[in-house]
């Protein structure tokens, strides 16, 4: 006979998912690529100081971490980074070019041939020289990259340009040996994509105050005899048209994704290939993201969907789209192709992100890397539901609801569970419906979680994304509150035991919710935006330095709005207990914002805790940090909700 189910109050269920286990499984494989016939990718190592390593899959199927600590394959371009590695086969084996996080230099290395050697110099000016999207051009003896170069000490004293770096190391100590590829000047650029015949090149560009999901330009140029880009011209895009990615078909026709219809769809030489009210692109938070990739046959591998994303093969001649068969319900914006092989990164509510290969000829799919292995009995995993709620004015709000769940425990009759409303970062982003052991950490203890893809989130078209224009701190707060109250009204959640939680832009939403509503009994605020005026006047990095022009409004025209909406200026209205978590090396949301917020709370008797972490930036990466943060968060809910978790 099976074990009987025990009755214990919500929040007091013993759970096999501890904070260390959740931390060890944080992150996902990314930046997949082919090196000859082999598949390589980057992978997180939370227990190794939060670094990312480079993983190689050998022909026999074994995996090898090819760069040992302390090498950290990660770029800081636009602070959120970009594709940090590339490789090409040689007679002596794979030759790898990668960005090392500590010094942001570009390195060249061959496995088994000694230490990596630097290809680029160090600059002592501001944030130095940074690199992303390396594309080896061994026939020219160079690698093409995006260079981000600081010209002064300020966070916005920076320029970006496509550059050729010599592969022989001659630029390792000589800035003058770096060759800029174009005189075209834009504030932001992506890596150049050469056409199959090498005669043309295409890239994306945009300028302040636009963000790349607002509007970008698709630029095409000729490649001159000396390798420089000539006769550059804009062929698509504009202030209100976002081109999310560009590439070339095998026959030399131009492929790109544009949201000119309100949805990121794939175009070939200006003609839509599969017009649908779905997204075939993703917001460009990192340079080098790929949501489509052309195959040698002329077919196109695509990551697409409305909300959730699927992996499919698009026939550009007929517009037919066939999705891969498998249990994965979400695919990341990283693709690589080789011949008719497609490699992607997929996950589901029951499995973490894995490296997946699709054979475009047979339709066969299989896991080839980072395979999901159940860390605990999967019966303890959450059982989420995708739902659509109604917000103010009848607008739709998309959310994922994770009820408390543990196969060995139930709550006493009549008790309603506490719920935590999770607001994602970005805010131009989305919470995917995938297995997350941080969520399981709470649900397996008897605490429900609801992830809200509030207005402004991606994956639901431009109109949904634009709901947040000049409404940040209003629509996101209202949508989260509407979901929380709907769960309470329908008897799913305890109205007196609701909490709000978020990091980065989600931290803003959590703090703004505590300052402007009485919905929540407490909140967890993680590396947040708290002071809009400071952010808009040099208090953050260049990429997002004018983001608020669209989220709040032009600062020169509505300065009062910046002050009125900032949680730092409304801290005196916060009465609910809260936990504030901050990395001391965060240049995106600096600790000074937290300190100003806390000044407004001081002396008012509001219970709170402020935990800071040395060596952590924007987004916690070290296992010990994540453990401390999760345990502190559980402590907050236990104290406020009257829970008694074991241990």
């Amino acid at each position: 006979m099976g074990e009987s189910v025990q009755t214990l109050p919500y929040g007091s269920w013993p759970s096999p998912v501890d904070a260390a286990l959740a931390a060890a499984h944080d992150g996902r494989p990314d930046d997949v690529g082919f090196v000859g016939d082999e598949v390589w990718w980057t992978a997180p190592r939370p227990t190794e100081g939060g670094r990312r390593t480079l993983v190689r899959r050998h022909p026999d199927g074994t995996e090898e971490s090819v760069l040992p600590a302390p090498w950290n394959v990660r770029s800081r371009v636009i602070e959120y980074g970009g594709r940090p590695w590339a490789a090409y086969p040689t007679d002596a084996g794979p030759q790898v070019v990668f960005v090392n996080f500590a010094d942001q230099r570009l390195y060249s290395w061959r496995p088994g041939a000694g230490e990596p050697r630097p290809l680029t110099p160090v600059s002592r000016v501001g944030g130095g020289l940074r690199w992303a999207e390396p594309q080896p051009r061994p026939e020219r003896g160079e690698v093409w990259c995006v260079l981000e170069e600081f010209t002064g000490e300020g966070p916005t004293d920076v320029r970006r340009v496509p550059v050729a770096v010599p592969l022989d190391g001659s630029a390792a100590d000589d800035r003058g040996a770096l060759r800029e590829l174009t005189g075209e000047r834009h504030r932001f650029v992506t890596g150049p994509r050469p056409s199959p015949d090498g005669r043309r090149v295409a890239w994306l560009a945009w300028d302040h105050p636009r963000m790349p999901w607002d509007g970008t330009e698709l630029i095409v140029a000729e490649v001159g005899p000396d390798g420089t880009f000539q006769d550059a011209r804009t062929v698509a895009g504009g202030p209100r048209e976002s081109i999310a990615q560009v590439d070339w078909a095998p026959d030399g026709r131009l492929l790109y994704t544009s949201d000119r219809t309100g949805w990121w769809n794939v175009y070939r030489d200006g003609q839509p290939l599969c017009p649908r009210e779905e997204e075939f692109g993703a917001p460009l938070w990192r340079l080098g993201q790929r949501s489509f990739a052309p195959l040698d046959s002329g077919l196109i591998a695509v990551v697409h969907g409305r909300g959730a994303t699927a992996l499919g093969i698009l026939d550009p001649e007929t517009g037919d789209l066939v999705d891969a068969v498998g249990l994965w319900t979400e695919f990341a914006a990283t693709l690589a192709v080789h011949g008719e092989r497609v490699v992607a990164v997929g996950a589901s509510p029951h499995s973490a992100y894995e490296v997946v290969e699709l054979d475009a000829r047979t339709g066969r799919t299989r896991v080839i890397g980072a395979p999901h292995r159940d860390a605990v009995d999967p019966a303890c995993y959450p059982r989420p539901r995708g739902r659509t709620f109604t917000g103010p004015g009848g607008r739709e709000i998309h959310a994922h609801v994770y009820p408390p769940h543990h196969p060995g425990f139930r709550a006493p009759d009549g008790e309603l569970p506490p719920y935590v409303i999770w607001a994602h970062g970005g805010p131009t982003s989305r919470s995917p419906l995938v297995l997350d052991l941080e969520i399981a950490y709470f649900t397996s203890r008897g605490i429900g979680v609801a992830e809200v893809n509030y207005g402004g989130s991606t994956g639901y078209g431009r109109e949904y994304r634009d709901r947040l224009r000049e409404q940040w701190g209003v629509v996101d707060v209202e949508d989260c509150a509407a979901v929380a109250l709907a769960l309470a009204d329908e008897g799913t959640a305890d109205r007196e035991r609701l909490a709000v939680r978020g990091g980065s832009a989600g931290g803003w939403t959590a703090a703004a919710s505590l300052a402007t509503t009485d919905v929540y009994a407490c909140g967890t605020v993680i590396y947040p935006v708290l002071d809009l005026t400071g952010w808009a006047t040099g208090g953050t990095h260049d990429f997002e330095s004018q983001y608020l022009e669209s989220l709040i409004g032009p600062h020169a025209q509505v300065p009062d709005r910046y002050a009125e909406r900032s949680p730092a200026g409304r801290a005196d209205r916060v009465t609910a207990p809260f936990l504030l978590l901050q990395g001391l090396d965060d240049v995106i949301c600096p600790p000074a914002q937290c300190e100003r917020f806390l000044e407004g709370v001081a002396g008012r008797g509001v219970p709170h805790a402020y935990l800071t972490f040395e060596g952590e930036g924007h987004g916690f990466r070290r296992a010990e940090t994540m453990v401390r943060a999760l345990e502190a968060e559980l402590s907050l809910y236990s104290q406020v909700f009257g829970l008694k978790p074991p241990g």
Side-chain angles (χ1 to χ4, degrees), residues 236-386:
R240 292 289 293 164
E241 179 183 359
S242 171
I243 311 294
Q245 185 190 330
V246 62
D247 213 320
W248 300 87
D251 62 4
R253 286 188 280 184
L254 193 65
L255 299 169
Y256 58 90
T257 48
S258 166
D259 72 348
R260 63 185 58 162
T261 65
W263 299 84
W264 276 309
N265 280 189
V266 182
Y267 291 77
R268 184 176 63 188
D269 284 348
Q271 298 301 312
L273 298 181
C274 183
R276 292 189 180 192
E277 291 190 348
E278 291 185 14
E279 304 283 34
F280 289 75
L284 200 62
W285 281 103
R286 295 179 70 249
L287 303 187
Q289 295 179 169
R290 299 190 81 188
S291 294
F292 75 85
L295 300 163
D296 289 349
S297 63
L299 299 175
I300 304 171
V302 293
V303 170
H304 72 101
R306 187 169 183 155
T309 52
L311 173 65
I313 299 295
L314 170 63
D315 185 335
E317 304 306 326
T318 65
D320 293 339
L321 177 58
V322 179
D323 286 340
V325 176
L327 299 177
W328 309 282
T329 56
E330 188 79 39
F331 282 87
T334 180
L335 284 175
V337 297
H338 178 61
E340 298 306 302
R341 296 168 64 194
V342 181
V343 172
V345 175
S348 79
H350 314 290
S351 60
Y353 283 99
E354 309 171 293
V355 181
V356 177
E357 183 179 72
L358 165 65
D359 186 324
R361 294 167 299 183
T362 66
R364 180 182 175 227
T365 55
R366 59 176 181 149
V367 175
I368 63 165
H372 170 77
R373 294 184 176 90
D374 291 318
V376 297
D377 183 345
C380 295
Y381 292 160
R383 298 179 176 179
R385 305 190 304 272

Side-chain angles (χ1 to χ4, degrees), residues 472-474 476-477 507-516 528-537 548 551-552 555 558-574 593 596-598 600-601:
W472 196 35
V474 178
D476 51 322
V477 170
W508 152 276
T509 301
S513 296
L514 295 178
T516 60
V529 181
L530 294 171
D531 178 7
L532 297 182
T533 302
W535 232 57
T537 55
L548 301 182
L551 289 176
I552 304 297
H555 183 255
V558 290
D560 292 346
R561 189 183 296 168
Y562 282 64
E564 290 165 1
R565 290 200 195 160
S566 294
R570 295 190 288 191
D572 60 335
R573 304 182 192 179
V574 176
Q593 295 195 66
R596 285 193 287 272
F597 180 74
L598 291 172
V601 175

